[in-house]
Amino acid sequence: MDFQTYHELTQLYADYASAVDSGNWDLWPEFFTDDCCYRLQPRENHERGFPLATLSFTSKGMLRDRVYGIRETLFHDPYYQRHVVGVPVVRKDEGERFECEANYAVFRTKLSELSTVFNVGRYLDTVVRTPAGLKFASRLVVYDSEMIPNSIIYPL
């Protein structure tokens, strides 16, 4: 992989984290292709090959529906989140399609409370080149702990 492509890839990861931390949810679906897949799955299920996922969306339209739900229908204590994402490791380079992996940690801050570690795991991604730049064709978020808060509202 040439330097320019790797720079674009790392910028995609950084921009994604910045967008989901900003609370501007309309930005989130735009990181994906129209026929994308976004899944949130516990590590145990992933390693055993079990298909059960905590969240599973199979198109950009479904991601937009989730954004609508975050804004209009889900009631929860508001909180801020902050991602720390490792440098992506390119596992496979097919020129216009890349399989990548990156570790992440998400910290959550509720109003008037201390920040806590909210979720930790890794991204398993398929990234493709589109006319609009690099996009996620699929993002599998594999979280390490079997214990998660009673709900995951915002994208990881």
Side-chain angles (χ1 to χ4, degrees):
M1 176 178 285
D2 62 61
F3 176 80
Q4 179 62 32
T5 303
Y6 190 72
H7 175 71
E8 289 175 45
L9 183 66
T10 58
Q11 193 66 49
L12 175 69
Y13 278 75
D15 289 344
Y16 178 94
S18 178
V20 294
D21 289 347
S22 75
N24 184 355
W25 304 118
D26 289 328
L27 297 173
W28 178 54
E30 300 312 312
F31 287 92
F32 294 87
T33 60
D34 289 338
D35 59 345
C36 66
C37 179
Y38 176 89
R39 292 172 42 90
L40 183 62
Q41 186 177 42
R43 182 178 184 162
E44 180 180 16
N45 286 2
H46 176 72
E47 289 179 352
R48 291 182 177 188
F50 296 159
L52 185 64
T54 306
L55 293 174
S56 182
F57 306 116
T58 56
S59 70
K60 187 187 278 190
M62 291 179 79
L63 299 180
R64 288 183 179 130
D65 284 346
R66 182 62 178 193
V67 168
Y68 178 81
I70 290 169
R71 281 204 183 110
E72 304 296 332
T73 65
L74 299 175
F75 296 98
H76 65 290
D77 287 339
Y79 62 90
Y80 304 108
Q81 63 181 19
R82 192 68 54 199
H83 285 67
V84 177
V85 180
V87 177
V89 176
V90 179
R91 299 288 184 201
K92 191 173 191 181
D93 177 350
E94 296 175 347
E96 301 297 308
R97 176 184 162 91
F98 314 99
E99 292 181 16
C100 308
E101 180 177 332
N103 295 327
Y104 73 86
V106 179
F107 297 87
R108 178 171 70 174
T109 306
K110 288 187 173 187
L111 305 176
S112 302
E113 292 185 22
L114 294 173
S115 297
T116 59
V117 177
F118 178 64
N119 194 282
V120 176
R122 62 189 169 135
Y123 298 123
L124 301 175
D125 298 318
T126 301
V127 176
V128 295
R129 185 169 299 285
T130 73
L134 295 181
K135 302 277 184 180
F136 294 107
S138 93
R139 172 156 267 198
L140 174 58
V141 182
V142 179
Y143 57 89
D144 288 338
S145 176
E146 293 177 29
M147 301 297 293
I148 59 172
N150 61 355
S151 61
I152 294 181
I153 306 295
Y154 306 144
L156 296 179

